[in-house]
Structure formats: C-alpha cells, structure tokens
C-alpha cells in the first residue's frame, strides 16, 4: 500500500522589488514569493530519473512577508493528510477536498477564506499535480478526460444550489463533452489566447512602458494591461503613451488593484474613458458585491472584471447573481484548489460570464493555464472573449515552464500541473538564507 508520507515546505522569495516588477497602486514594491509545498509519498515516481519517490508540488503565491504565516497554515493541514492511502485519496479527490474544507478547527479560522483556505488549496493542488504525474498526463487533459459525472462529484454544491444544482452542472458538462476531441486537437494546434501585463507595472518609467508595449504588439498580443490608481494625471499620461505604442486595434485593460472606494472608482474610470478600456479590474474591495455592481452600472460601457482576490465560490456566486462583474478572473491559489475552481467555472458558465484567469504572480501562469484549457475542452467549448494573463517573469524556475508564442499559450504536455520548481531555484531563493538574498539589502 502506498501512502502520503507528509509535507516538505519551503519559503521561496524572489527580489522582484529591486526592478519594481509587479508594482501597482496597492503594492508598490512586492517580492514575488511562494509558500511552497511538496506532498511526499512512498511510491516510486514512474517518470523519475532517480530513485526519488512520487510527489506533488504546489504553492500559495504571496508578495514576500506573509510567507511565514502561510507556511504555518499549510503545516497545520499536514496531520489531516499524512498517512492516507494514496490509491483511495486519488480515487476520490472530491472527498478529500470536502473533508479539508469541513475540518472544524480550520473552518473556524475562515470559514472558507484566508490563509487556512489557501493552505487547503495548496494541498488540493499538490494532490492534483501528483495525480497527473502518476497518470502521465498534463492536468488539463486529466481533468478533461473525466466523465461529466466524475467532474460533478469533485464539487461541493453546499451554498450554491440556489444558483446552480448538480443536475444543471451535469447537463452543462454533458453538452460540453460533445466535440471534445476536436477541441483538444484545436487547442494543441492553436494554443489559448493570452494578454500581456508585463508592460504595465506602475513603477516602470515611461520609456520602459512604451518599449514594452511595442514589444508586446510585436510578440502578437492583442491586449495589454496597465496598472492605474495612484495619481489620475499619471494614469492619463501613461495610458496615452500605451495607446500610441500599441495603436487602436490592441485592447488596453486597466487594473486598480482595489485602491478606490465606489464613488472614486466611478469618477476615475469615467476620466479614463477616452482610452476605451477593455475592462476595469478590481476597482474596489473584491468582496464588496453591491459596490462592484454600482461601479459596473456607473462606468458603462467599460466592462468590470474581478476575482483574483475573491476568497471562495460563495462570493463568486453572489457577484454573478448581483450582476457585479462582466468578466470572472479565477486565481489558482486563492481558493481551495482545483475542485473549488471547477465550481467557479461552472458558475460562470451558468451565468454566461467569460473567464479570464488571473496569473500575475510567480507560478500562477503555470497552473491556471490548465484550468482555462479544461474549461475550453470540457465545459464552455469556446475561447471567445477569453484570455489568460501573461507576465514574462520567473518562468525559468519551473521544470515545465508556461510558454507563450504569438500571443497564445502553448499547450503543456508534461505530466502534472506545471507547478514543480527547479531544485536549484528552491535553494537559491530560499528565504532568508539562500544565496539570492545575501547582499540584496532586502532581508
């Protein structure tokens, strides 16, 4: 009998604040970081080049300080998972997910939000990485090849049945199964649309902004994103530079990263309307459902996008029920893992809202591409109005890095969830004693 032996945890931080990569109005100098988990087993790795046992890798994205508490939360989940039979666990991943989110002490800390919920997400995602590596398939394909009934069984419909029932979800997935093989072939041939956030970090100079916008167009992107919200005059200047660089046919989304209250958001977005924003992202508190709805009404026709900081499926349900968002932005590491994000994708499909996943952080492009591709193949059946965020930072630290060419994600084929970091990177960027942090002046 193979069992889950336990966790290995790592505090991994990249000093992105030195170049202001990732800077925005709420987070002026982040260090992109990962509270990193290795879920260890005693089963030989079928693809391993050495005698190392099979493992699953995952993480929670943070911006540096905060890794400590997130890692403590991940370790608090370990007693609930260590010692489990591996075959039984992977045979019913819906059961593991439901048991973890229902654990009374962890639930008391949430419920279903915050560091405990994200820790559960890391564990659930690590299990899916392990399952996909064991099966010899990329995660998107492993999920897409499940039957509609198996996919429904992954989801906890508690608190959702007033918006979507298991029966409705099953019907949508059965419709989504029609033509699945053709969509797999199309995905492998054409990839999945991407948009570029790399040009638009708030701390970049005007010169760098212009150069990166031009480069994004040359690289085939049809949309970029610019951070806004610090000073209106600066936003107008920077957006004018971006529009001149990309021309009239490339979309420019704007992202306020939650800095405004409702009246300010409406006034500010109206002041930027001349650039014809593709959307305004996170204009206020991500859980202010009625405030988001008021902003959506007040800034029409500019679409409202949100979701990267939405803590659970219940808030997504309410945002959709209230008509608060035009675009849903799931995050692979904010909610309780793959299972809960499948619930979010089902909700979006029920309400007819496109999903454009958030991926602005270390490792987020790598894992969330699998969810978007699963959605296309097995549920929504379309890429219209959908694209995945792309930032051109830190991919080299992963054993199977996400790849974008011609403005489109190329389909990952390596078994797993693309979440495994290079061992050398785990050592180099370990905080605070890794070599990358010696002499940085940031410790």
């Amino acid at each position: 009998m193979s069992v889950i032996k336990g966790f290995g945890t790592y505090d991994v931080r990249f000093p992105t604040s030195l170049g202001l990569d990732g800077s925005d109005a709420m987070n002026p100098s982040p260090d992109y970081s990962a509270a990193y988990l290795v879920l260890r087993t005693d089963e030989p790795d079928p693809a391993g080049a050495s005698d190392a046992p099979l493992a699953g890798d995952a993480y929670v994205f943070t911006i540096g300080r905060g890794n400590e508490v997130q890692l403590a939360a991940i370790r608090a989940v370990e007693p609930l998972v260590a010692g489990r039979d591996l075959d039984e666990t992977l045979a019913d991943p819906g059961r593991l997910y439901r048991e973890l989110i229902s654990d009374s002490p962890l639930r008391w800390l949430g419920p279903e939000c915050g560091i405990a919920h994200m820790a559960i997400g890391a564990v659930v995602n690590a299990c899916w990485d392990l399952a996909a590596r064991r099966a010899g398939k990329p995660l998107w394909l492993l999920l897409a090849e499940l039957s509609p009934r198996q996919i429904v069984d992954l989801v906890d419909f508690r608190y959702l049945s007033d918006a979507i029932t298991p029966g409705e979800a099953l019907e949508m997935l059965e419709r989504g199964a029609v033509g699945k093989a053709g969509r797999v072939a199309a995905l492998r041939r054409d990839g999945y649309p991407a948009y570029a956030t790399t040009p638009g970090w708030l701390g970049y100079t005007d010169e760098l902004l212009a150069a990166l916008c031009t480069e994004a167009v040359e690289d085939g992107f049809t949309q970029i994103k610019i951070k806004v919200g610090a000073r209106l005059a600066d936003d107008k200047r920077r957006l004018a530079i971006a529009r001149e660089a990309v021309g009239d046919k490339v979309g420019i989304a704007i992202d306020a990263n939650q800095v405004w209250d409702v009246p300010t958001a409406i006034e500010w977005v109206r002041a930027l309307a001349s650039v014809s924003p593709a959307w305004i992202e996170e204009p206020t508190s991500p859980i202010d459902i009625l405030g988001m709805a008021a902003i959506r009404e007040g800034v029409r026709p500019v679409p409202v996008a949100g979701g990267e900081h939405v803590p659970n499926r219940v808030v997504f349900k309410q945002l959709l029920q209230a008509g608060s968002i035009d675009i849903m932005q799931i995050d692979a590491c904010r909610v309780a893992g793959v299972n809960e994000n499948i619930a979010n994708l089902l909700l979006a499909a029920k309400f007819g809202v496109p999903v454009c996943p958030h991926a602005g952080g270390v490792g987020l492009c790598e894992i969330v591409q699998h969810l978007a591709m699963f959605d296309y193949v097995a549920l929504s059946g379309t890429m219209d109005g959908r694209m995945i965020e792309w930032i051109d930072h830190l991919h080299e630290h992963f054993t199977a890095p996400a790849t974008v060419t011609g403005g489109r994600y190329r389909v990952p084929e390596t078994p797993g969830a693309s979440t495994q970091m290079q061992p050398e990177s785990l050592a180099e960027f370990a905080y605070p004693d890794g070599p990358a942090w010696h002499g940085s002046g940031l410790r």
Side-chain angles (χ1 to χ4, degrees), residues 378-400:
L379 179 56
S380 71
T382 182
M383 299 182 196
D384 292 344
R386 292 158 168 82
M387 55 186 69
I388 308 170
E389 184 173 20
W390 173 253
I391 63 166
D392 195 15
H393 307 300
L394 307 175
H395 302 290
E396 67 274 15
H397 300 293
F398 291 84
T399 60

Side-chain angles (χ1 to χ4, degrees), residues 4 40 48 57-58 61 91 106 139 175 185 259 307 325 337 366 381 384 432 434 443:
I4 297 173
R40 293 173 172 150
D57 292 54
F61 168 63
L106 292 176
L139 177 61
R175 290 195 298 269
V259 298
I325 53 174
E366 273 66 28
D384 292 344
R443 288 195 297 172

Side-chain angles (χ1 to χ4, degrees), residues 31-243:
D31 287 319
Y32 274 14
S33 303
Y36 192 89
L37 163 67
V38 179
L39 192 151
R40 293 173 172 150
T41 77
D42 61 358
E43 179 171 296
D45 188 341
S50 66
D51 294 330
L54 181 67
D57 292 54
Y59 35 80
V60 177
F61 168 63
T62 81
I63 57 170
R65 186 166 53 85
N67 256 14
E68 304 95 328
V69 292
Q70 190 60 68
L71 287 168
I74 289 172
R75 295 180 192 116
V77 184
E78 184 174 16
L80 305 177
V81 179
R84 286 181 181 248
D85 180 274
L86 188 59
D87 290 326
E88 292 180 359
T89 300
L90 299 186
D92 191 358
R95 176 184 175 185
L96 173 66
Y97 160 70
R98 284 187 288 271
E99 287 182 359
L100 293 181
I101 65 170
S102 299
D103 178 72
S104 178
L106 292 176
R107 186 175 181 82
W108 183 261
L109 299 174
E112 296 191 47
C113 62
I115 62 168
H117 202 55
M118 290 189 286
I120 290 169
V123 174
V124 170
N125 286 343
C127 285
W128 279 108
D129 178 54
L130 189 154
R133 287 157 70 171
R134 195 188 203 203
K137 298 176 182 179
L139 177 61
W140 68 268
L141 184 60
L142 178 72
L143 293 171
E145 288 181 346
L146 296 175
S147 71
R149 170 55 64 186
Q150 287 174 311
I151 297 170
V152 168
D153 288 344
L154 297 176
V155 174
D156 183 357
F157 286 90
R158 179 177 48 178
Y159 312 138
L160 300 185
S161 60
D162 58 322
I164 185 172
T165 65
E168 289 174 314
L170 183 62
E171 290 177 4
M172 288 192 297
L173 287 160
E174 287 174 341
R175 290 195 298 269
V178 178
K180 186 186 295 186
R183 289 192 295 277
V184 169
L187 184 64
R188 284 176 160 149
R189 182 187 67 240
D190 301 328
Y192 198 101
Y195 75 89
T197 295
T198 300
W201 301 121
L202 201 61
Y204 284 178
T205 65
D206 290 355
E207 292 76 16
L208 183 57
L209 166 66
L212 292 175
C213 286
T214 300
E215 183 178 313
V217 176
E218 293 172 349
D219 289 342
F221 290 98
T222 58
Q223 181 171 305
I224 64 169
K225 187 165 75 181
I226 304 296
K227 300 292 184 174
V228 298
R231 287 173 293 276
L232 181 57
D234 290 345
D235 289 346
K236 289 180 176 180
R237 185 190 73 255
R238 295 175 70 252
L239 287 171
I241 293 169
R243 178 56 74 197

